């Protein structure tokens, strides 16, 4: 069944991938809104989804995880982890998740509390990410103290002056 909000599938896959990495390699990836896993601040994985809600609704979710190799500036799970073992652990973790994952996703979301730049086609927004709504929108209080909600956008975690 396709959930009412297909973005939930992206959240579920991200949570399952994080759990699989923890089980097999003992690493705890952070989740970055909307669809990345980070390890030590570097990209470990990306999750993408494509929905067709027409006559025959379907959602395809894909994930790319740096298992035993990563390009410069990216993270990897570890040399001792085999891709098929990671896939099996991911699928098991996916099946173990409860039906509603929003609060679990929100609790694991490293973006909340961070100073961010949301990159959009019509310009960037600078501010602090303060929440993730149940509908998957990132809530950002921009530098003019205006609360904005984003359904899409590339998010860059910025270092604050105190970091």
């Amino acid at each position: 069944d396709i959930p009412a909000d297909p973005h939930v599938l992206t959240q579920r896959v991200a949570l399952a991938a994080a759990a699989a990495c923890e089980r097999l390699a003992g690493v705890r990836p952070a989740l970055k809104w909307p669809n990345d896993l980070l390890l030590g601040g570097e990209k470990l994985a990306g999750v993408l989804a494509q929905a067709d809600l027409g006559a025959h609704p379907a959602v395809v979710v894909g994930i790319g995880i740096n298992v035993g190799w990563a390009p410069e500036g990216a993270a990897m799970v570890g040399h001792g982890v085999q891709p098929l073992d990671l896939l099996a652990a991911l699928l098991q973790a996916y099946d173990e998740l409860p039906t509603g994952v929003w609060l679990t996703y929100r609790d694991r979301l490293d973006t909340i509390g961070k100073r961010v730049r949301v990159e959009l086609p019509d310009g960037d927004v600078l501010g602090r990410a303060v929440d993730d709504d149940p509908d998957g929108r990132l809530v950002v209080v921009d530098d003019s103290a205006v609360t904005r909600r984003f359904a899409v956008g590339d998010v860059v975690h910025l270092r604050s002056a105190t970091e």
Side-chain angles (χ1 to χ4, degrees):
D1 290 336
I2 296 175
D5 293 314
H7 74 273
V8 169
L9 294 174
T10 303
Q11 293 175 349
R12 289 181 66 86
V13 169
L15 287 166
C21 291
E22 289 176 44
R23 288 179 190 168
L24 291 182
V27 297
R28 183 171 167 84
L31 302 183
K32 179 182 164 224
W33 187 90
N35 57 358
D36 289 338
L37 280 76
L38 305 177
L39 194 56
E42 296 179 330
K43 188 168 180 172
L44 173 69
V47 182
L48 294 175
Q50 180 69 42
D52 178 356
L53 304 177
H56 304 286
V59 178
V60 175
V61 181
I63 185 168
I65 303 173
N66 300 326
V67 180
W69 176 88
E72 188 173 327
M76 69 175 171
V77 176
H79 290 293
V81 177
Q82 297 300 311
L84 290 178
D85 294 338
L86 186 63
L87 175 60
L90 187 154
L91 293 172
Q92 179 181 353
Y94 185 93
D95 288 343
E96 292 169 352
L97 287 168
T99 302
V101 298
W102 169 64
L103 290 175
T104 304
Y105 174 80
R106 186 172 154 243
D107 288 345
R108 287 287 303 264
L109 195 58
D110 192 48
T111 305
I112 295 175
K114 294 259 197 283
R115 181 152 172 73
V116 298
R117 178 176 62 240
V118 182
E119 298 174 345
L120 303 164
D122 59 346
D124 297 349
V125 175
L126 294 171
R128 181 154 313 274
V130 296
D131 206 354
D132 177 66
D133 283 344
D135 67 0
R137 292 177 188 265
L138 182 66
V139 182
V140 174
V141 176
D142 70 20
D143 286 351
S144 298
V146 174
T147 300
R148 303 180 61 172
R149 288 171 169 76
F150 299 95
V152 296
D154 290 326
V155 172
V156 177
H157 290 180
L158 303 173
R159 294 189 184 275
S160 65
T162 59
E163 289 184 67

